[in-house]
């Protein structure tokens, strides 16, 4: 198979290209113009995020050639699904049993809805505000009969996070990427995270991994950074991510992304 020489660039969203802690939903104009320029040059632009497709459709339409969504469980272009890997009923049962045993509040995520467990329905508006995709996204029925791809934890306060996070860290198969301002954290799984989707995307576009670049800020980007050779942690990134990054921007979020792109001559 002949590989293309063009570049492919993976962008995390929350804390990397958007400051969603302040509910930012529009890209910095300089970054948007740069992404448009990169695409015109023939490069492939990929969103690589824990967010669902509904978020991309609402706030970032027609920007990305490809989307790695829900921490790598669903991958698509605008008109083609490349990977569709929902949680099985058995996996959901095991996760329910574990999170219930530690008295955790948790939310199953799909592309167009989510299902909350051990959370009062009075929190519906708060959760809809956190997910930023409109009212009615959060439901409180059972997820077992639905196609779900990812799971978030919800914390009523910092003390609850401090109680539960060590228990999650003790489970070596789970990684908690905490969003402090929202008191939520997305869970990724060993062997089932963003990095798992990278090869599918590279094969689809027939691009050699040596021509791949990635930008991120969270612990759920670590495994992506371990397999992609050219990586940039923005200035606000997790210290753990900075340790495995090729470069670390001095600037934060979108300005840090622009700094990294300039470093590589884009």
């Amino acid at each position: 198979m002949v590989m293309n020489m063009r570049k492919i660039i993976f962008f995390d969203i929350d804390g990397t290209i958007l400051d969603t802690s302040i509910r930012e939903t529009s890209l910095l104009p300089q970054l948007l113009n740069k992404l448009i320029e990169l695409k015109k040059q023939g490069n492939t632009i990929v969103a690589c995020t824990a967010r669902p497709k509904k978020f991309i459709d609402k706030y970032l339409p027609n920007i990305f050639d490809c989307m790695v969504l829900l921490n790598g469980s669903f991958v698509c272009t605008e008109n083609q699904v490349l990977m569709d890997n929902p949680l099985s009923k058995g996996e959901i049962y095991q996760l329910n049993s574990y999170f219930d045993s530690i008295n955790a509040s948790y939310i199953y995520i799909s592309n167009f809805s989510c299902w909350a467990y051990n959370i009062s329905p009075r929190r519906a508006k708060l959760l809809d505000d956190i997910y930023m995709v409109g009212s009615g996204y959060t439901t409180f029925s059972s997820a077992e009969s639905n196609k779900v791809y990812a799971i978030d934890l919800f914390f009523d306060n910092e003390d609850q996070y401090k109680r539960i996070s060590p228990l999650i860290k003790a489970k070596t198969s789970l990684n908690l990427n905490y969003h402090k301002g929202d008191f939520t954290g997305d869970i990724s799984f060993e062997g089932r995270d963003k990095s798992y989707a990278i090869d599918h995307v590279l094969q689809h576009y027939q691009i050699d991994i040596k021509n791949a670049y990635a930008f991120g800020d969270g612990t759920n980007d670590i495994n992506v950074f371990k397999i992609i050779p050219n990586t940039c942690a923005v200035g606000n990134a997790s210290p753990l991510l900075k340790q495995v990054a090729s470069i670390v921007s001095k600037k934060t979020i979108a300005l840090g992304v622009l700094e990294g792109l300039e470093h590589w001559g884009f």
Side-chain angles (χ1 to χ4, degrees), residues 66-165:
C66 183
M67 291 159 278
V68 173
L69 303 168
L70 300 162
N71 271 335
S73 293
F74 189 89
V75 183
C76 65
T77 66
E78 284 298 326
N79 53 24
Q80 183 179 359
V81 175
L82 304 184
M83 191 174 79
D84 187 347
N85 189 27
L87 293 166
S88 69
K89 288 185 179 180
E91 288 171 323
I92 293 172
Y93 176 79
Q94 290 178 349
L95 288 166
N96 287 355
S97 297
Y98 175 67
F99 289 124
D100 287 345
S101 74
I102 62 172
N103 296 317
S105 300
Y106 54 101
I107 307 152
Y108 286 106
I109 313 292
S110 77
N111 274 311
F112 298 101
S113 189
C114 72
W115 295 265
Y117 284 67
N118 302 333
I119 302 174
S120 168
R122 290 177 296 178
R123 296 284 197 177
K125 184 180 183 305
L126 172 63
L127 292 173
D128 283 345
D129 288 345
I130 289 171
Y131 288 115
M132 300 167 60
V133 289
S135 61
Y137 180 69
T138 306
T139 60
F140 294 85
S141 58
S142 172
E144 281 84 342
S145 60
N146 297 280
K147 208 171 185 181
V148 298
Y149 295 88
I151 187 167
D152 287 357
L153 296 189
F154 175 78
F155 308 100
D156 281 313
N157 49 53
E158 190 73 14
D159 287 341
Q160 188 180 26
Y161 165 72
K162 290 178 179 178
R163 178 182 68 81
I164 290 177
S165 60

Side-chain angles (χ1 to χ4, degrees), residues 12-60:
D12 173 56
I13 292 179
D14 294 69
T16 301
I17 63 172
L18 288 178
D19 187 356
T20 48
S21 70
I22 59 169
R23 302 297 186 264
E24 183 178 54
T25 57
S26 298
L27 290 180
L28 188 73
Q30 301 98 297
L31 179 56
L32 177 59
N33 291 336
K34 176 57 70 173
L35 296 183
I36 293 171
E37 178 187 334
L38 288 168
K39 290 179 69 173
K40 285 181 178 178
Q41 293 170 350
N43 301 296
T44 299
I45 306 301
V46 184
C48 194
T49 178
R51 290 281 182 177
K53 191 171 187 299
K54 191 171 185 178
F55 182 93
I56 304 287
D57 290 345
K58 184 171 184 177
Y59 298 116
L60 303 169

Side-chain angles (χ1 to χ4, degrees), residues 198-265:
I198 298 300
D199 188 58
H200 288 75
V201 177
L202 295 176
Q203 289 296 323
H204 176 75
Y205 289 103
Q206 298 182 24
I207 298 177
D208 194 297
I209 197 168
K210 70 182 181 183
N211 292 320
Y213 299 75
F215 291 80
D217 77 302
T219 56
N220 61 343
D221 297 311
I222 288 174
N223 285 344
V224 172
F225 277 33
K226 286 181 177 179
I227 63 172
I228 288 180
N230 311 291
T231 57
C232 175
V234 289
N236 53 289
S238 158
L240 293 174
L241 186 68
K242 290 179 178 180
Q243 289 176 14
V244 297
S246 306
I247 62 169
V248 177
S249 297
K250 294 180 180 178
K251 298 177 181 177
T252 62
I253 313 176
L255 291 175
V257 172
L258 287 167
E259 182 183 331
L261 289 170
E262 184 179 3
H263 171 83
W264 283 304

Side-chain angles (χ1 to χ4, degrees), residues 160-179:
Q160 188 180 26
Y161 165 72
K162 290 178 179 178
R163 178 182 68 81
I164 290 177
S165 60
L167 302 175
I168 301 299
K169 290 177 182 177
K171 294 275 287 186
T172 56
S173 61
L174 300 179
N175 172 63
L176 174 63
N177 184 46
Y178 183 44
H179 306 285

